[in-house]
């Protein structure tokens, strides 16, 4: 058996090695790879094929409900007999090497495994949460942090990350908003591409790159009432116009894999959704990568109540187009029988297997199954200086200044007495955030450390004030918020009384957002608001530094606290970066990619809402779209963020007031930095399609430029619009721009816009 295996492996490897000499052209590479894969498929038994579609979590890491007791022996036997194609959560080059060797040497065909892991915002070095980093609007930065995360993960034996999450979400109650790029389909698509390019580079076989995964396909960000895993109800226009654009962008950017979503859409579990997978993704979009289920999402088709048992679930998922079964055992236990019964066609299994083998080929695993496993490289790469520097840059650019009354910030004098208060002030763990890869617990720079370093001449006093949570703070345990203990209030109030200024660090711990961490309120959790109110009574000079994984409803804080800095969970360099903003060493430039509500009752709240038949028309009106008890505007709108510089915007000037279907409209806006501080500004462009065949959003982001503008300088910012930018899925589901009147708007955020109007006119031939 062993000789046979070596012979076959040699055949495969030498064939592939020889093939790389043939040509460097992608198409040739692909066609040679496909031939190779065909011949490998011919050698495979049905069991071996199904094995390639079976994925297990092995090793100490777990990122979902644990594997059932008693099946470890079965899994071991399956690994040994070629019935496992990929694994997740096994970390470290040495461990991965041993496992790979076991599989390559023991299985009949020696087909290597792929090692996967959720590398979401870093592997060992933590960068800001994806939602935080999206506030930089800096695509180059996001590509570089993804590339650094890939390099670290690849050195530790990983070839595949389950990221980026490209789910659009407008509901801050949903815990997973921390993993995404916010509420907007246009920006979300741009960021998806940047992150995919960062993870994958130009060549998946490069030992510094890993395969990416666009997830969760689809609609997961629209779970009802923001409850994780909940049901989703969506119209097809909303699906096509709002939710799918980042997925389409990901497919066009050659993302290696897609992941199913846990939710159903209008009654159909995404994992069994043949419209989404077969018709759209693998059909219309011609996507030839791999679709992996989410953690047991094939098994959960039974729990959804759509399949009677796992057999039926496996049949539905495979027929719908889900290629790999993650942690479900539905495929491995049932697909052979399903083929024998004629419920699944072997050709559909072959198609799924071909995709998996192609990914292995693209990763270079057939060339050398051990190429990613080099402990020395791992040691040199993880948490290196260069990555720490990049983490600092990313943290700086992710910070959003929400309020700065009377220019309280930056802190000008250095010889002050500064009171440092709050449960997150000395916290070295929460800034690492949820989905923290392989980061070591408690290794971030705390805000306390950052401030002490930046203010060597200040008189610093500290009080925790209040605890934020009790019990274990980790991925698996439910976070219990502390609501009883006020014993720290007195000391905190004393510190605030004795200080010139008070910096308060409040928000959420790492595990108050993320998977399974939905909330029903969006206030600062626990006793924090109460303590803040007490502090305000004794000191007006409060700077509130927020650390959190989602938009918060902080109306009282906005009314009463003069300076508010949104510092998210910024990763390893959090404390240093926040201190740089507080001292003015760095002028903040981040802008929100998710609307902050005034109250949780406004959620879902987002900037590109539809007008309705009765748009809100003022506080005294009754029969209009609004809540009776609250200002209908958001607390902080999408695109909002302040700077230490001040900017003035001109009206937009457009090149024509009428354009044809093949024309381009030029838009010009002057932005002046009227302050004495150099800054960077994110200049935004929106359009409104006044009348459409379906109702249209009141505005939609269509472009932006992040520009450095020196103190006193005016800069002309230029944009272009074509009909492609105005296209959408119309009433008849055609993707096109509809002639008619449009508004074009420019400004510093989605609420403060100046506008001009133009008409899109049909080509004369269109009327013939
Ligand atoms: C479940 C999550 O929904 C998904 O995003 C993740 O990639 C898998 N678990 C694997 O850890």
């Amino acid at each position: 058996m062993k000789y046979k295996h070596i012979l076959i492996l040699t055949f495969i490897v030498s064939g592939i090695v020889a093939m790389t000499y043939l040509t460097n052209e992608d198409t040739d590479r692909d066609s040679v790879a496909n031939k190779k894969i065909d011949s490998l498929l011919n050698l495979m038994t049905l069991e071996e094929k199904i094995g390639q579609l079976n994925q297990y979590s092995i090793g100490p890491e777990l990122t979902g409900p644990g594997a059932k007791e008693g099946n470890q022996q079965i899994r071991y036997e399956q690994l040994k007999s070629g019935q496992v194609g990929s694994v997740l959560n096994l970390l470290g080059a040495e461990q991965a090497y041993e496992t790979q060797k076991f599989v390559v040497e023991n299985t009949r065909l020696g087909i290597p495994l792929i090692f996967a892991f959720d590398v979401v915002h870093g592997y060992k070095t933590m960068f800001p949460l994806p939602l935080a980093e999206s506030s930089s609007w800096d695509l180059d930065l996001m590509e570089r942090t993804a590339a650094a995360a890939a390099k670290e993960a690849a050195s530790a034996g990983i070839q595949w990350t389950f990221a980026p999450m490209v789910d659009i979400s407008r509901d801050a109650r949903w815990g997973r908003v921390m993993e995404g790029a916010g509420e907007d389909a246009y920006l979300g698509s741009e960021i998806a591409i940047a992150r995919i390019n960062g993870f994958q580079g130009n060549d998946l076989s490069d030992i510094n790159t890993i395969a990416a995964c666009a997830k969760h396909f689809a609609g997961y960000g629209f779970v009802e009432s923001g409850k994780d895993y909940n049901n989703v109800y969506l119209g097809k226009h909303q699906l096509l116009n709002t939710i799918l654009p980042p997925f389409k962008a990901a497919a066009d950017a050659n993302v290696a894999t897609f992941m199913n979503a846990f939710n159903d859409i209008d009654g159909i579990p995404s994992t069994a959704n043949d419209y989404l997978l077969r018709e759209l993704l693998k059909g219309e979009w011609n996507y030839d990568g791999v679709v992996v289920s989410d953690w047991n999402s094939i098994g959960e088709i039974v729990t959804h109540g759509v399949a009677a048992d796992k057999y039926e679930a496996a049949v539905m998922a495979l027929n719908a187009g889900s290629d790999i079964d993650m942690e479900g055992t539905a495929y491995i236990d049932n697909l052979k029988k399903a083929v024998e019964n004629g419920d699944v066609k072997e050709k559909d299994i072959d198609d799924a297997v071909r995709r998996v083998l192609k990914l292995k080929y693209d990763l270079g695993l057939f060339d050398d199954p051990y190429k990613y496993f080099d402990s020395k490289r791992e040691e040199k790469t993880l948490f290196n200086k260069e990555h720490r520097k990049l983490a600092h840059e990313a943290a700086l650019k992710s910070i959003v200044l929400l309020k700065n009354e009377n220019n309280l910030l930056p802190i000008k004098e250095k010889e002050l007495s500064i009171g440092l208060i709050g449960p997150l002030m000395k916290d070295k763990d929460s800034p690492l955030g949820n989905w923290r890869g392989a980061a070591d617990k408690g290794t971030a720079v705390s805000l306390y450390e950052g401030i002490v370093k930046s203010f060597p001449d200040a008189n610093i006093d500290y009080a925790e004030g209040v605890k934020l949570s009790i019990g274990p703070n980790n991925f698996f345990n439910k976070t219990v918020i502390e609501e009883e203990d006020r014993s720290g209030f007195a000391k905190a109030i004393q510190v605030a009384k004795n200080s010139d200024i008070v910096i308060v660090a409040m928000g959420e711990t790492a595990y108050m957002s993320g998977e399974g961490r939905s909330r029903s309120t969006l206030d600062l959790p626990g006793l924090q608001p109460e303590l803040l109110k007490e502090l305000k009574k004794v000191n007006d000079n409060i700077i509130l530094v927020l650390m959190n994984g989602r938009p918060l409803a902080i109306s009282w804080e906005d009314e009463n606290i003069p300076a508010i800095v949104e510092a998210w969970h910024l990763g390893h360099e959090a404390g240093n970066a926040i201190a740089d903003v507080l001292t003015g060493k760095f002028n903040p430039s981040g802008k929100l990619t998710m609307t902050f509500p005034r109250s949780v009752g406004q959620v879902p709240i987002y900037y590109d809402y539809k007008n309705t038949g009765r748009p809100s028309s003022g506080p005294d009106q009754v029969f209009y779209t609004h809540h009776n008890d609250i200002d209908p505007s958001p607390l902080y709108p999408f695109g909002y963020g302040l700077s230490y510089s001040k900017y003035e915007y001109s009206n937009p000037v457009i090149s024509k007031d009428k354009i044809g279907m093949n024309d381009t409209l030029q838009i010009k806006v002057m932005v002046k930095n009227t302050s004495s501080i150099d800054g960077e500004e994110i200049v935004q462009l929106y359009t409104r399609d006044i009348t459409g065949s379906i109702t249209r959003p009141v505005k939609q982001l269509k472009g932006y430029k992040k520009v450095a503008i020196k103190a006193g300088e005016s800069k002309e910012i230029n944009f272009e619009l074509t009909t492609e930018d105005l296209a959408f899925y119309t009433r008849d589901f055609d993707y096109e721009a509809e002639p008619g009147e449009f508004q074009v708007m420019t400004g510093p955020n989605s609420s403060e816009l100046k506008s001009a109007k133009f008409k899109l006119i049909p080509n004369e031939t269109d009327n013939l």
Side-chain angles (χ1 to χ4, degrees):
M1 184 71 110
K2 193 143 191 208
Y3 288 115
K4 200 168 163 195
H5 142 65
I6 291 169
L7 269 179
I8 294 169
L9 183 66
T10 314
F11 158 73
I12 296 165
V13 171
S14 60
I16 290 170
V17 170
M19 171 174 72
T20 57
Y21 290 102
L22 291 178
T23 170
N24 284 329
E25 293 295 317
D26 281 351
T27 47
D28 288 355
R29 268 181 65 97
D30 277 357
S31 73
V32 176
N34 288 335
K35 270 190 209 141
K36 218 67 223 171
I37 288 163
D38 280 344
S39 54
L40 181 53
L41 261 175
N42 278 334
L43 298 172
M44 294 170 81
T45 63
L46 180 59
E47 285 92 335
E48 283 164 341
K49 289 178 188 172
I50 295 166
Q52 288 303 306
L53 310 182
N54 185 31
Q55 181 179 91
Y56 287 143
S57 174
I58 59 171
E61 298 291 328
L62 266 185
T63 50
K68 282 183 215 86
E69 293 243 330
N71 59 19
Q72 296 308 327
Q73 185 60 30
I74 299 176
R75 290 179 172 208
Y76 172 82
E77 294 301 332
Q78 286 174 339
L79 264 178
K80 206 169 161 189
S81 59
Q83 291 185 67
V84 182
S86 50
V87 295
L88 72 150
N89 295 338
L90 186 81
L91 308 183
E94 203 178 313
Q95 286 246 58
Y97 170 78
E98 291 302 334
T99 311
Q100 188 76 300
K101 190 160 178 282
F102 176 79
V103 165
V104 168
E105 291 187 354
N106 283 289
T107 58
R108 192 177 73 95
L109 295 172
I111 300 174
L113 294 170
I114 310 179
F115 293 79
F117 187 50
D118 292 277
V119 183
V120 173
H121 57 112
Y123 179 77
K124 198 70 159 183
T125 310
M126 282 301 115
F127 301 105
L129 299 182
L131 179 66
E133 207 186 43
S134 71
S135 312
S136 71
W137 299 48
D138 186 334
L139 301 177
D140 172 65
L141 172 76
M142 289 182 257
E143 185 171 331
R144 285 186 287 129
T145 58
K151 193 169 173 185
E152 288 199 359
S155 79
I158 305 298
Q159 300 94 46
W160 180 11
T161 177
F162 300 129
M165 186 189 93
V166 304
D167 295 306
I168 298 297
S169 185
R170 280 91 192 269
D171 194 332
R173 293 171 299 180
W174 189 47
R176 300 196 76 168
V177 296
M178 51 129 322
E179 262 181 86
E183 72 188 41
D184 182 55
Y186 168 83
L187 188 59
S189 303
E190 297 285 302
I191 291 176
I193 297 167
R195 290 193 165 135
I196 290 160
N197 288 342
F199 286 130
Q200 298 193 163
N202 297 324
D203 178 4
L204 275 186
S205 73
D206 182 328
I207 52 162
N208 291 316
T209 64
I210 56 180
C213 181
K215 70 187 189 185
H216 305 85
F217 199 57
Y220 190 32
F222 277 61
V223 279
E224 201 176 39
S225 74
K227 265 195 295 187
D228 211 358
Y229 319 118
N230 207 3
N231 306 99
V232 171
Y233 301 92
L234 280 174
K236 193 170 169 190
H237 282 113
Q238 193 177 12
L239 180 73
L240 290 170
N241 286 321
T242 304
I243 290 167
L244 294 185
F247 287 101
K248 176 72 167 65
D252 292 344
N254 291 324
V255 70
T257 67
F258 265 61
M259 185 187 287
N260 297 132
F262 285 124
N263 55 279
D264 70 346
I265 300 181
D266 201 17
I268 302 172
S270 298
T271 307
N273 193 323
D274 39 358
Y275 164 69
L276 276 179
L277 299 172
R278 282 263 180 247
E279 211 178 306
L280 211 63
L281 180 65
K282 292 181 172 178
E284 222 174 279
W285 298 359
N286 210 9
Y287 179 69
D288 61 4
V290 173
V291 177
V292 63
S293 79
D294 202 343
W295 186 283
N296 189 32
S297 68
I298 299 179
E300 287 177 14
I301 301 173
V302 180
T303 332
H304 273 290
V306 168
D309 51 28
K310 273 195 173 181
Y311 175 90
E312 260 185 47
V315 169
M316 279 183 197
L318 196 284
N319 287 340
S322 296
D323 300 318
I324 293 182
D325 178 4
M326 178 200 290
E327 265 296 323
T329 66
Y331 280 3
I332 199 72
D333 292 344
N334 296 293
L335 280 186
K336 185 164 182 250
K337 199 159 154 234
V339 173
E340 286 161 4
N341 291 347
D343 289 330
V344 162
K345 295 191 186 81
E346 188 160 355
K347 80 165 185 26
D348 287 335
I349 294 202
D350 285 354
D351 174 66
V353 177
R354 194 175 273 117
R355 290 165 186 264
V356 176
L357 295 177
K358 177 69 170 35
L359 178 57
K360 294 186 175 186
Y361 168 80
D362 289 342
L363 288 165
L365 290 169
F366 285 126
D367 211 1
D368 174 1
Y370 306 111
K371 63 189 284 186
Y372 292 90
F373 314 134
D374 173 353
S375 299
K376 285 211 182 92
R377 188 165 77 92
E378 179 180 13
E379 207 176 299
K380 267 199 281 175
T381 311
L382 299 189
F383 211 50
N384 67 29
K385 264 200 186 141
E386 200 190 313
H387 293 170
R388 290 295 295 264
K389 206 170 148 222
L390 181 58
H392 188 187
E393 179 191 342
L396 288 170
K397 292 179 173 173
S398 303
I399 293 171
V400 185
L401 180 62
L402 296 176
K403 188 176 174 197
N404 193 16
E405 209 170 74
N406 302 326
N407 296 329
L408 186 57
L409 287 171
I411 301 168
K412 288 127 209 135
E413 285 173 55
K414 297 274 168 167
E415 290 170 29
L416 289 169
S417 61
I418 309 181
L420 301 183
I421 300 175
L424 294 167
M425 183 55 75
K426 278 196 175 178
D427 190 339
K428 290 175 68 61
D429 194 63
S430 291
L432 300 174
N434 204 337
W435 289 117
R436 57 175 60 182
D440 294 321
K441 206 172 163 39
T443 48
V445 178
S446 71
L447 180 53
Y448 181 87
E449 290 167 323
I451 291 175
V452 166
K453 212 181 339 156
S454 300
F455 291 92
D457 303 322
N459 183 5
I460 289 178
D461 211 355
Y462 164 78
E464 187 183 23
V466 69
K467 292 223 177 311
L468 192 40
S469 62
I470 39 180
N473 202 23
N474 61 33
F475 190 74
F476 275 98
N477 288 90
K478 196 168 175 161
T479 307
V480 181
I481 295 172
E482 169 57 82
E483 316 245 28
E484 302 288 325
D485 184 3
R486 293 174 177 80
S487 60
F489 274 37
K491 183 172 177 209
I493 294 167
Q494 200 52 44
V495 168
K497 250 189 203 160
N498 296 344
S499 305
D500 295 327
I501 54 166
V502 182
I503 303 173
V504 181
M506 289 185 171
E508 301 178 315
T509 63
Y511 297 104
M512 287 180 186
S513 65
E515 187 179 346
R517 263 71 188 198
S518 296
R519 290 181 56 199
S520 68
T521 64
L522 293 173
D523 309 335
L524 285 171
L527 296 171
Q528 295 180 110
E530 198 177 312
L531 175 63
L532 195 57
K533 283 178 187 154
E534 293 302 320
L535 301 178
K536 167 73 184 170
K537 286 182 193 159
V538 298
N539 196 324
D540 276 333
N541 290 332
I542 297 182
I543 296 156
L544 174 62
V545 176
L546 296 170
M547 298 181 189
N548 44 293
R550 52 156 62 80
L552 296 172
I554 45 165
S555 289
W556 183 89
E557 291 77 359
D558 178 67
E559 256 168 51
N560 295 284
I561 304 296
I564 306 179
V565 176
E566 177 50 82
W568 312 107
H569 294 145
L570 288 176
H572 269 109
E573 286 292 318
N576 289 333
I578 303 167
D580 285 348
V581 164
L582 300 181
T583 58
K585 193 167 164 194
F586 184 81
N587 185 0
S589 56
K591 302 219 183 196
L592 300 177
T593 58
M594 245 188 123
T595 304
F596 275 45
R598 293 179 186 279
S599 141
V600 69
Q602 289 181 307
V603 166
I605 184 169
Y606 47 98
Y607 83 94
D608 62 338
Y609 57 90
K610 310 273 192 77
N611 209 32
T612 78
R614 294 196 175 187
S616 170
S617 65
D620 302 327
Q621 305 296 318
V622 175
F623 302 112
Y624 295 93
T625 314
H626 70 301
H627 296 107
N628 262 326
D629 53 357
I630 202 164
D631 175 340
S633 66
L635 183 63
Y636 306 119
F638 173 83
Y640 170 84
L642 303 173
S643 152
Y644 298 146
S645 311
K646 303 269 175 282
Y647 302 103
E648 248 176 44
Y649 279 67
S650 74
N651 284 321
V653 178
I654 55 178
S655 55
K656 306 170 198 167
D657 56 9
K658 277 193 195 108
I659 60 166
M661 300 301 274
N662 303 321
D663 291 347
T664 300
L665 183 76
Q666 259 106 30
I667 303 114
K668 217 168 43 183
V669 58
M670 296 300 296
V671 184
K672 181 168 185 192
N673 180 346
T674 56
S675 72
S676 55
I677 303 167
D678 297 348
E680 264 198 300
E681 171 69 339
I682 301 167
V683 181
Q684 299 159 41
L685 172 82
Y686 297 81
T687 61
R688 177 174 185 177
D689 185 354
I690 310 277
T691 312
S693 57
I694 56 170
T695 55
R696 304 287 290 128
V698 294
K699 59 194 88 156
Q700 285 186 294
L701 185 72
K702 295 293 174 184
Y704 67 91
K705 298 252 163 88
K706 188 168 182 178
V707 281
I709 311 182
K710 290 213 169 339
E713 186 190 6
S714 286
K715 261 205 175 152
E716 181 181 297
I717 315 296
N718 292 290
F719 294 102
E720 286 191 344
L721 279 176
T722 65
T723 41
E724 177 62 22
D725 301 308
L726 305 174
F728 67 103
Y729 285 91
T730 64
R731 192 176 189 120
D732 296 332
F733 298 105
D734 295 320
Y735 187 71
E736 62 190 21
E738 292 178 335
E741 202 173 331
F742 287 81
Q743 226 178 334
V744 57
M745 296 161 265
T746 48
N749 62 63
S750 64
S751 287
E752 290 173 68
L753 297 168
K754 294 182 174 168
S755 69
K757 277 190 174 164
F758 72 95
K759 266 194 179 148
L760 179 64
I761 47 176
N763 292 336
E764 276 170 22
T765 48
D766 291 349
N767 293 329
L768 294 179

